[in-house]
């Protein structure tokens, strides 16, 4: 049997048998890469090819038999037959060359199948991939790549390059990176990565009663818990035999491997040693200047099918099947598998999002019940009946709501809005506001417990200190010029040389920029308010005498107030989206200028800036409607104008401003959620549609295997940050203003059920595999949630007191009840004051012809919404005593509600421990075992050393107490 040998890609020697190569079972996809003929094996043959012939063959591959080379890349029977005929027609060296070219192509296909995560030798795992394209500026970039890759090799990484001919576009080179055991062990020691040293011997808690009810929501055990439970300790390279290392190739999971490799890539220089430019360091700068086009770890297989190779993982397929499909929305999330595949940081996010969604279910149920209560008590709404009554509301003439353009109007024209307002403004509103204050506390306290359990299970208990000390940002390290003693670690460390004036100057500049953008938001809100005032007059002029009443279904509901509120809310939403897009780049730019030391510090600084901006951007319009609209109006003849202009401040409907706050909240919150889901799901799908289609058509292509998934910042460096920000803004909507819209938690629940699966689908199918990162909690977002929770109690108390009409109604029913009966009859007439039309200034009187057809000169008075003395009274147009009674009731309600809710919050927080008792026991047990095992390990190791040196008389026993460890060792010595 003759063997043909040659170089493949210039990296390894490949040999094959012409007779065996025609067997698809040997050379096809069914064979594992590692079972192919080894790259460095030297086969035996009857007549081996001479070395000089081999070299000649390798050097002439690209010039001889080009037509055969093209046909050899096709697997169709037609091309196969043509190829065999042409090869059989050849003789001698030409036939050997043709056979080598044909069989080399087959081996390349075999070892680089679409599920391959190994080098060409089939043994070394691909831990990271760099890609680049030659362009006009190729010489400088080629020099950078050459130096950078040489430095990576010096560090200990192993590289293998795929030629651009293997890519689908014919332009892209791929540099595959493998981290051998020595590199992984060294950096695992540096990063203090926790690894198993003993199986967990603590029995699991007994099952919860009625646990069978959750069976439909469970996932298979091998998906929920893909790994056994171990006690873990920080890896120490010098004590590698202390840990449970069965196989060095699989000891560190792929997520840990790519995290270590990225740590090296981020700190490796692309300058020669003689050039001391520290700024030229890290893969991020090489990506920014175009030296490399991408840097990413590989997914383990195609998501729509399980890996054909039994030796390869199929975790991506499992995640897609059990997690990333929408029809799994009612199933639990496989958090342990998510953590294993994507890392702890992404795992914590999905754990928090899932827990938040579960808690929203209870808020949504209570809110829906409150809404149903308002619907069922629809017919008991006495004040709405009076407004709609032709005998009461039809005979009450209201004063114009704006100057000149607005005419007199009858109260019963607001009949529909009054009924709509009752759906949200009823007795259940008070109960729901109190309930949400308690719900927020329960949510945050139970999340602390859930987070503590995850911290233990995922080996993150003491991670924060490690993160602060070890995970320095490469951008910070490149700017450091001096070394300083760290008082905690007593080690010299690099520090940034900045004078106090530089620090103050940058801080002032950064925060001045933030304040400038916040001022821009406030200016936009004032512009929207001016729009509301100006357009209301236009709508009132257009819609006089109800010209929309002829429209079917919606006609009777369209009023100047509704038209103004809806259009203003839509304009405000568009402004919010535009400002968001602009400020995102500004916030990142400002934070980069501050040069934070650690990744955690960077995220915290960016979090504060972005949330402060988003808070003002999203909530300012709601705060205006809730707390300012209709509060500073004045009265006919003495109205208050905005900033001294001719635009009169807005008034609320006789039914109150709550319905307008509900409208504003629904449009902004719903619009944000719909736009967010479109942006997150539809855009990535459209951008990947064509690439995925080509990937399916060319499954053997290396390009389609490694480049089909795009990093659209969905879960890139800042993608997770924006996911948290989106959910926290939603959390503010359902807590800060929930008293005005009890259905807000239901809308949030529906959105989050979709959000979980959209994020999972996007992460699993549309994006490259992100670099694994560690995080022990949701970071600064927890403090922000706490702040929102406290503020929500205050805002909801003020909404019920000042925006809702609940307090005036209660005061009327209990203090001003007619004929001693607790009824709401006569409330509308009591809540409207009287004004003499003749006292209205001529400048603010309606233009001629603006008054409705029913208005005549016999009407001498009009009504307005306030509690003032009528004309002819000694204190005419001054506030009545009822006004002060209502104000006192509002303030009393705010104080009582806040104290009750805060008392319950603090009591609940005190009653619920942050860390479950069983988790505390496990943590103590693990620390105890670490001390015991390490101490015994050291003692046994010392005994062996002494016995080898002839000191066999040492009979000391292993102790488990660190305090006497030194005494034991000194006794042995």
């Amino acid at each position: 049997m003759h063997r043909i040998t040659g170089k493949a890609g210039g990296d390894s020697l490949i040999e094959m048998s012409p007779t065996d190569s025609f067997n698809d079972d040997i050379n096809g996809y069914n064979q594992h890469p590692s079972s192919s003929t080894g790259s460095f094996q030297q086969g035996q043959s009857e007549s081996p090819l001479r070395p000089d012939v081999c070299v000649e063959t390798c050097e002439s591959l690209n010039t001889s038999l080009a037509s055969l080379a093209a046909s050899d890349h096709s697997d169709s029977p037609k091309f196969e037959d043509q190829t065999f005929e042409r090869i059989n027609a050849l003789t001698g060296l030409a036939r050997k060359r043709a056979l080598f070219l044909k069989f080399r192509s087959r081996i390349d296909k075999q070892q680089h199948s679409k599920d391959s995560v190994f080098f060409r030798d089939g043994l070394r795992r691909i831990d990271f991939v760099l890609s680049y394209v030659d362009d006009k500026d190729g010489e400088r970039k080629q020099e950078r790549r050459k130096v950078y890759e040489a430095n990576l090799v010096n560090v200990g990484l192993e590289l293998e390059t795929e030629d651009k001919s293997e890519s689908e576009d014919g332009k892209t080179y791929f540099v595959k990176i493998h981290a051998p055991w020595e590199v992984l062990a060294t950096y695992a020691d540096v990063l203090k990565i926790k690894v198993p040293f003993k199986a967990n011997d603590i029995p699991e808690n007994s099952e919860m009663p009625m646990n069978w009810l959750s069976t439909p929501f469970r996932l298979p055990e091998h998906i929920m818990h893909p790994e056994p439970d171990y006690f873990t300790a920080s890896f120490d390279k010098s004590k590698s035999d202390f840990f449970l290392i069965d196989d060095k190739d699989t000891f560190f999971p792929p997520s840990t491997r790519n995290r270590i490799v990225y740590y090296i890539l981020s700190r490796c220089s692309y300058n020669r040693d003689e050039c001391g430019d520290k700024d030229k360091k890290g893969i991020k700068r090489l990506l920014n200047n175009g030296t490399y086009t991408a840097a990413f770890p590989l997914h383990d297989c195609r998501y729509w099918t399980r890996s054909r190779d039994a030796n390869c993982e199929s975790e991506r397929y499992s995640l897609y099947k059990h997690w990333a499909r929408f029809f799994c929305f009612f199933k639990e999330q496989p958090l342990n598998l998510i953590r294993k595949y994507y890392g702890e940081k992404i795992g914590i996010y999905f754990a928090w999002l899932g827990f938040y969604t579960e808690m929203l279910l209870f808020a949504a149920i209570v809110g829906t019940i409150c809404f149903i209560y308002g619907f069922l008590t629809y017919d008991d709404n006495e004040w709405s009946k009076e407004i709609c009554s032709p005998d009461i509301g039809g005979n009450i003439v209201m004063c114009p709501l704006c100057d000149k353009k607005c005419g007199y109007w009858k109260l019963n024209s607001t009949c529909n809005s009054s009924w709509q307002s009752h759906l949200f403004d009823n007795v259940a509103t008070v109960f729901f506001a109190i309930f949400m204050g308690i719900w927020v506390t329960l949510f945050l306290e139970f999340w602390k417990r859930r987070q503590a359990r995850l911290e233990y299970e995922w080996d993150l208990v003491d991670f924060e200190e490690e993160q602060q000390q070890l995970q320095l940002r490469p951008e910070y390290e490149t700017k450091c010029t001096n070394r300083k003693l760290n008082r905690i670690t007593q080690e010299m460390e690099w520090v940034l040389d900045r004078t106090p004036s530089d620090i103050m100057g940058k801080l002032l500049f950064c925060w001045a920029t933030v304040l400038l953008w916040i001022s821009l938001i406030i200016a936009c809100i004032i512009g929207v308010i001016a729009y509301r005032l100006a357009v209301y007059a236009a709508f009132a002029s257009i819609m006089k005498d109800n010209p929309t009443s002829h429209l079917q279904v919606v006609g009777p509901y369209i009023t100047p107030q509704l038209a103004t509120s809806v259009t203003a809310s839509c304009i405000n939403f568009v402004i919010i989206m535009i400002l968001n897009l602009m400020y995102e780049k500004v916030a990142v730019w400002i934070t980069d200028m501050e040069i934070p030391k650690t990744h955690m510090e960077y995220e915290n600084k960016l979090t504060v800036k972005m949330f402060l901006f988003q808070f003002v951007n999203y909530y300012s319009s709601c705060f205006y409607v809730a707390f300012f609209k209709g509060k500073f109006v004045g009265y006919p003849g003495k109205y208050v104008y905005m900033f001294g202009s001719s635009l009169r401040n807005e008034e609320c409907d006789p039914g109150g401003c709550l319905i307008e706050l509900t409208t504003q909240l629904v449009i902004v919150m719903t619009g944000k959620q719909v736009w967010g889901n479109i942006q997150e799901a539809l855009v990535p799908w459209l951008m990947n549609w064509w690439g995925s289609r080509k990937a399916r058509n060319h499954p053997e292509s290396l390009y389609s295997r490694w480049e089909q998934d795009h990093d659209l910042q969905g879960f890139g460096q800042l993608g997770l940050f924006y996911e948290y920000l989106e959910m926290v803004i939603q959390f503010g909507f359902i807590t800060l203003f929930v008293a005005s819209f009890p259905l807000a938690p239901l809308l949030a629940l529906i959105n989050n059920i979709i959000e979980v699966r959209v994020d999972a689908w996007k992460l699993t199918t549309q994006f490259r595999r992100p670099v694994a990162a560690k995080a022990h909690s949701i970071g600064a977002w927890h403090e922000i949630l706490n702040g929102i929770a406290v503020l929500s109690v205050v805002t909801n108390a003020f909404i019920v007191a000042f925006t809702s009409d609940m307090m005036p109604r209660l005061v009327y029913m209990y203090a001003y009840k007619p004929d001693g009966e607790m009824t709401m009859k006569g409330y509308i007439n009591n809540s409207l004051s009287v004004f003499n039309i003749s006292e209205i200034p001529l400048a603010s009187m309606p233009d001629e012809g603006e008054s409705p057809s029913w208005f005549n000169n016999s009407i001498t008075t009009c009504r307005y919404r306030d509690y003032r003395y009528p004309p002819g009274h000694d204190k005419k147009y001054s506030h009545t005593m009822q006004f002060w009674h209502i104000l006192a009731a509002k303030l009393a309600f705010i104080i009582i509600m806040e104290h009750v809710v805060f008392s319950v919050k603090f009591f609940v927080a005190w009653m619920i421990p942050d860390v479950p008792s069983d988790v505390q026991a496990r943590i103590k047990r693990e620390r105890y075992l670490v001390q015991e095992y390490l101490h015994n390990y050291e003692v046994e190791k010392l005994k062996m050393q002494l016995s080898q040196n002839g000191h066999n008389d040492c009979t000391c026993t292993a102790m488990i107490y660190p305090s006497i460890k030194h005494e034991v060792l000194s006794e042995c010595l």
Side-chain angles (χ1 to χ4, degrees):
M1 180 178 64
H2 297 277
R3 293 185 180 272
I4 301 175
T5 60
K7 292 272 186 174
D11 287 321
S12 59
L13 189 65
I14 298 179
E15 60 179 274
M16 65 201 73
S17 167
T19 57
D20 293 341
S21 298
F22 288 99
N23 189 348
D24 287 339
D25 292 336
I26 297 177
N27 293 283
Y29 288 110
N30 294 331
Q31 182 184 7
H32 185 267
S34 61
S35 66
S36 63
T37 308
S39 299
F40 302 96
Q41 296 175 355
Q42 190 68 29
Q44 301 295 327
S45 63
E46 297 175 2
S47 178
L49 200 64
R50 298 191 311 275
D52 55 340
V53 176
C54 175
V55 172
E56 181 185 358
T57 302
C58 296
E59 293 175 346
S60 62
L61 285 177
N62 294 328
T63 57
S64 64
L65 298 176
S67 60
L68 278 176
S71 65
D72 284 343
H73 288 278
S74 175
D75 292 330
S76 64
K78 178 181 178 181
F79 282 102
E80 289 285 324
D81 295 337
Q82 292 179 359
T83 302
F84 293 154
E85 292 175 3
R86 299 174 74 175
I87 290 177
N88 292 331
L90 300 175
T91 59
L93 184 61
R95 186 174 184 276
K96 293 179 179 180
R97 289 175 179 172
L99 287 171
F100 174 77
L101 191 63
K102 176 67 181 175
F103 303 143
R104 186 194 67 165
S105 172
R106 283 176 174 260
I107 285 183
D108 281 349
K109 286 184 180 182
Q110 165 197 335
Q111 296 190 349
H112 293 285
S113 69
K114 59 185 178 181
D115 290 331
S116 174
V117 290
F118 297 96
F119 275 25
R120 282 192 292 269
D121 58 16
L123 300 175
R124 292 173 294 172
R125 186 183 183 91
I126 301 172
D127 296 315
F128 226 87
V129 174
L130 307 178
S131 66
Y132 64 90
V133 178
D134 284 336
D135 52 21
K136 297 179 180 179
D137 193 20
E139 293 184 3
R140 293 177 57 190
K141 294 179 180 178
Q142 185 176 3
E143 180 64 22
R144 292 195 201 109
R145 287 192 292 267
K146 182 179 179 181
V147 175
Y148 185 69
E149 292 172 13
N151 290 336
L152 291 178
V153 173
N154 292 336
V155 172
L157 297 179
E158 298 177 3
L159 309 182
E160 187 176 75
T161 303
E162 288 295 334
D163 189 75
K164 62 182 180 181
S165 61
E166 296 291 348
S167 66
E168 188 170 291
D169 63 354
K171 302 177 182 178
T172 305
Y173 293 85
F174 296 101
V175 180
K176 300 174 287 185
I177 301 175
H178 169 76
W181 168 256
E182 285 298 319
V183 174
L184 294 173
T186 300
Y187 282 92
D189 194 348
V190 170
L191 298 176
K192 302 299 179 185
I193 293 174
K194 289 190 174 183
V195 294
F197 70 92
K198 183 183 183 301
N200 193 339
D201 57 0
I202 300 179
E204 293 290 335
N205 292 332
S206 58
E207 292 189 356
M208 299 278 296
M210 306 293 289
N211 198 29
W212 57 271
L213 292 175
S214 61
T215 302
F217 310 105
R218 294 181 191 164
L219 290 174
E221 184 65 21
H222 71 280
I223 298 298
M224 286 301 298
H225 302 284
E227 294 179 332
D229 193 10
Y230 293 102
F231 289 120
T232 59
S234 298
F235 186 78
D236 189 340
K237 185 179 179 182
S238 63
K239 302 180 178 65
S240 58
D241 54 339
F242 171 75
F243 303 98
L244 301 177
I245 304 178
D246 295 330
D247 185 356
K248 291 183 177 181
D249 291 334
T250 59
F251 181 67
F252 294 107
S255 57
T256 302
R257 297 174 69 102
N258 71 58
R259 177 185 164 214
I260 291 175
V261 173
Y262 186 74
Y263 183 88
I264 299 172
L265 294 176
S266 300
R267 286 156 178 78
C268 189
S269 172
Y270 55 89
N271 236 19
R272 297 188 182 276
D273 293 337
E274 58 269 18
C275 302
D277 192 353
K278 292 182 60 180
D279 196 38
K280 295 185 177 181
K281 178 188 291 186
I283 187 62
K284 288 181 66 175
R285 295 185 63 86
L286 291 173
L287 292 172
N288 291 336
N289 60 34
T291 303
Y292 290 100
T293 57
F296 52 92
L298 284 180
H299 283 293
D300 60 12
C301 67
R302 301 285 183 176
Y303 66 85
W304 62 79
T305 181
R306 187 178 295 276
S307 175
R308 297 181 181 179
D309 188 350
N311 213 25
C312 289
E313 303 92 344
S314 295
E315 292 172 355
R316 187 189 188 191
Y317 169 76
S318 298
L319 287 171
Y320 174 72
K321 180 179 179 182
H322 298 284
W323 178 53
R325 294 190 299 177
F326 179 75
F327 293 106
C328 299
F329 71 91
F330 61 93
K331 294 284 188 179
E332 58 184 336
Q333 296 188 85
L335 295 177
N336 288 322
L337 185 59
I338 297 170
R339 173 247 182 172
K340 180 184 177 185
Y341 192 77
Y342 291 116
E344 289 79 3
K345 192 169 187 178
I346 290 178
I348 283 285
Y349 164 73
F350 280 103
W352 176 81
L353 181 57
F355 183 80
Y356 171 45
T357 304
E358 291 172 7
M359 291 295 292
L360 272 177
L361 177 63
F362 302 100
I365 292 174
V366 177
T368 305
I369 292 174
C370 292
F371 176 80
I372 293 174
Y373 171 82
F375 183 80
L376 294 178
T377 58
Y378 205 69
D379 295 333
D380 299 333
N381 185 3
E382 192 66 37
W383 54 89
S384 293
K385 291 180 180 179
E386 292 186 354
I387 291 175
C388 298
S389 172
D391 297 330
I392 301 176
N395 290 325
I396 296 178
V397 178
M398 302 296 294
C399 298
L401 293 175
C402 64
D403 294 341
K404 293 187 177 181
K405 292 291 182 181
C406 297
Y408 300 96
W409 53 286
K410 287 188 176 181
L411 182 60
N412 62 355
S413 63
T414 61
C415 176
N416 290 324
S417 63
S418 176
W419 286 112
Q420 295 164 7
S421 179
H422 175 71
L423 294 174
F424 309 104
D425 189 4
N426 51 66
V427 177
T429 301
V430 180
F431 167 77
F432 190 61
I434 297 174
F435 168 81
M436 287 302 295
I438 300 173
W439 176 88
V440 168
T441 304
L442 292 173
F443 164 66
L444 295 176
E445 292 301 319
F446 283 128
W447 166 246
K448 287 180 185 177
R449 293 171 60 84
R450 178 71 172 128
Q451 181 176 275
R453 189 176 297 277
L454 290 175
E455 284 183 15
Y456 169 74
E457 293 176 354
W458 293 357
D459 303 321
L460 302 169
V461 174
D462 299 319
F463 176 70
E464 184 173 1
E465 291 75 12
E466 300 167 12
Q467 176 84 353
Q468 291 288 351
Q469 295 174 11
L470 300 172
Q471 300 295 312
L472 297 180
R473 298 178 65 240
E475 294 83 358
Y476 175 85
E477 293 177 333
T478 57
K479 300 292 183 182
C480 294
T481 54
N482 296 326
R483 295 173 70 89
K484 182 180 179 181
L485 179 66
N486 188 317
R487 295 182 179 180
I488 299 175
T489 62
Q490 291 298 307
E491 295 179 356
M492 299 299 292
E493 64 180 13
W494 287 101
V495 294
L496 196 60
D497 188 14
R498 291 188 289 190
T499 62
S501 59
D502 291 339
I503 296 174
M504 292 301 298
K506 282 193 174 182
L507 285 176
L508 289 175
F509 175 77
C510 293
W511 285 104
T513 306
V514 174
L515 293 176
L516 175 65
W517 278 86
I518 291 177
S519 302
L520 178 62
I521 298 173
I522 296 174
C524 292
I525 296 301
I526 294 175
V528 173
I529 295 172
Y531 164 86
R532 298 172 70 106
L533 299 177
V535 170
Y536 177 81
F539 278 129
S541 177
I542 295 172
M543 297 181 182
K544 63 179 182 293
D545 295 332
N546 270 339
T548 60
S549 59
H550 66 279
L551 298 176
Q552 295 181 354
V553 183
V554 298
Y557 299 95
I558 299 178
T559 62
Q561 291 90 343
L562 179 62
T564 302
S565 180
V566 171
T567 56
S569 299
C570 293
I571 292 173
N572 184 63
F573 174 72
V574 173
I575 293 174
I576 287 172
M577 293 294 104
I578 294 174
L579 291 177
N580 273 350
L581 294 175
M582 298 170 63
Y583 185 75
E584 284 177 3
K585 301 182 183 298
V586 174
V588 173
W589 174 67
I590 293 173
T591 309
D592 288 339
M593 286 186 58
E594 296 181 6
I595 317 178
K597 184 176 181 179
T598 65
H599 293 283
M600 183 180 295
E601 185 181 350
Y602 181 90
E603 288 191 5
N604 290 344
K605 287 179 178 292
L606 183 62
T607 297
V608 172
K609 295 180 181 63
M610 281 298 298
F611 177 74
L612 185 61
F613 174 83
Q614 298 271 33
F615 184 90
V616 178
N617 196 20
Y618 277 106
Y619 302 145
S620 54
S621 58
C622 293
F623 273 103
Y624 163 73
V625 176
F627 306 123
F628 295 97
K629 182 179 178 181
K631 307 301 185 295
F632 309 99
V633 177
Y635 59 93
K638 199 175 181 180
Y639 283 115
V640 179
Y641 293 84
M642 187 178 73
F643 304 129
S645 66
S646 60
L647 298 175
R648 205 171 90 193
N649 286 350
E650 284 186 284
E651 295 184 47
C652 293
D653 282 344
C657 278
L658 195 70
I659 188 63
E660 292 195 40
L661 177 59
T662 303
T663 303
Q664 179 78 24
L665 186 64
V666 169
I667 290 177
V668 176
M669 178 181 173
T670 307
K672 178 184 179 300
Q673 293 182 165
V674 171
W675 174 251
N677 286 326
I678 292 175
Q679 197 174 24
E680 290 185 9
L682 186 60
V683 174
W685 182 83
L686 289 175
M687 295 187 68
N688 272 314
W689 175 75
W690 181 249
S692 298
R693 179 181 177 187
K694 292 195 294 185
R696 290 175 184 268
N697 293 335
H698 304 278
E700 297 88 351
S701 169
L702 294 175
Y703 185 85
S704 64
R705 170 68 181 93
W706 292 342
E707 284 290 301
Q708 67 158 333
D709 306 310
H710 300 274
D711 186 2
L712 302 177
Q713 203 178 353
F715 282 87
Q717 299 170 356
L718 296 176
L720 207 58
F721 167 83
Y722 291 116
E723 298 292 335
Y724 274 118
L725 181 60
E726 179 184 358
M727 289 295 104
V728 170
I729 293 298
Q730 181 203 82
F731 181 81
F733 277 123
I734 69 167
T735 54
L736 294 176
F737 310 102
V738 74
S740 65
F741 188 46
L743 293 180
L746 179 62
L747 295 181
L749 174 65
I750 296 172
N751 174 81
N752 287 8
I753 290 174
I754 300 173
E755 181 78 18
V756 171
R757 304 304 160 177
V758 166
D759 286 347
W761 170 82
K762 180 176 60 175
L763 183 61
T764 305
T765 68
Q766 302 299 303
F767 293 150
R768 296 178 185 134
R769 185 174 186 172
V771 179
K774 286 203 143 191
H776 75 291
S777 66
I778 62 175
W781 297 113
H782 193 276
E783 297 303 321
I784 290 176
L785 293 175
N786 274 323
I788 293 177
V790 173
L791 182 60
S792 68
V793 178
V794 179
T795 55
N796 283 300
F798 272 84
I799 287 174
V800 174
F802 287 97
T803 309
S804 167
D805 268 2
M806 185 61 61
M807 290 301 106
R809 294 170 191 161
L810 292 177
V811 170
Y812 174 80
M813 186 171 63
Y814 286 99
Y816 295 87
K817 49 191 174 183
D819 302 327
E821 298 179 2
M822 294 185 63
T823 178
M824 294 302 296
K825 290 182 179 180
Y827 169 73
I828 291 299
N829 188 61
N830 176 267
S831 64
L832 298 176
S833 299
V834 181
F835 190 82
N836 191 344
I837 293 177
S838 63
E839 298 182 30
I840 298 179
L842 294 177
S844 60
M845 288 287 287
D847 293 338
E848 185 177 356
E850 291 296 328
S851 297
S853 58
W854 50 262
F855 183 81
N856 56 69
N857 294 330
S858 63
I859 300 177
T860 58
T861 60
C862 63
R863 310 293 292 271
Y864 60 98
R865 196 170 185 266
D866 207 343
Y867 294 91
R868 295 180 183 272
Y869 289 109
H873 195 277
D874 294 339
K875 298 179 181 179
K876 71 174 184 177
Y877 307 138
S878 298
H879 284 122
T880 63
M881 187 56 65
Q882 186 175 354
F883 170 84
W884 300 109
H885 288 166
I886 293 173
L887 181 61
K890 291 179 178 179
L891 297 177
F893 173 80
I894 291 173
I895 295 172
I896 294 172
M897 178 178 170
E898 288 181 355
H899 280 72
V900 169
V901 175
F902 281 134
S903 298
V904 174
K905 282 169 63 70
F906 292 138
F907 178 74
V908 170
W910 175 75
M911 285 289 294
I912 302 175
D914 293 345
V915 182
S917 57
D918 62 318
V919 174
Q920 290 179 340
R922 287 170 177 263
I923 293 174
K924 292 178 181 179
R925 170 71 174 164
E926 184 170 296
R927 288 174 176 171
Y928 168 80
L929 288 176
V930 170
Q931 293 179 356
E932 179 187 20
Y933 275 57
L934 278 175
H935 178 260
N936 292 343
Y937 172 85
E938 293 289 350
V939 171
E940 292 297 327
K941 190 174 182 180
L942 181 60
K943 281 184 177 181
M944 293 179 62
Q945 292 176 352
L946 292 175
S947 63
Q948 291 173 359
N949 294 331
H951 298 281
N952 296 323
D953 54 343
C954 181
T955 59
C956 58
T957 58
M959 305 296 290
I960 64 172
Y961 303 103
S963 59
I964 59 176
K965 178 178 178 181
H966 297 289
E967 297 178 9
V968 174
L969 295 179
S970 61
E971 180 184 349
C972 292
L973 293 174

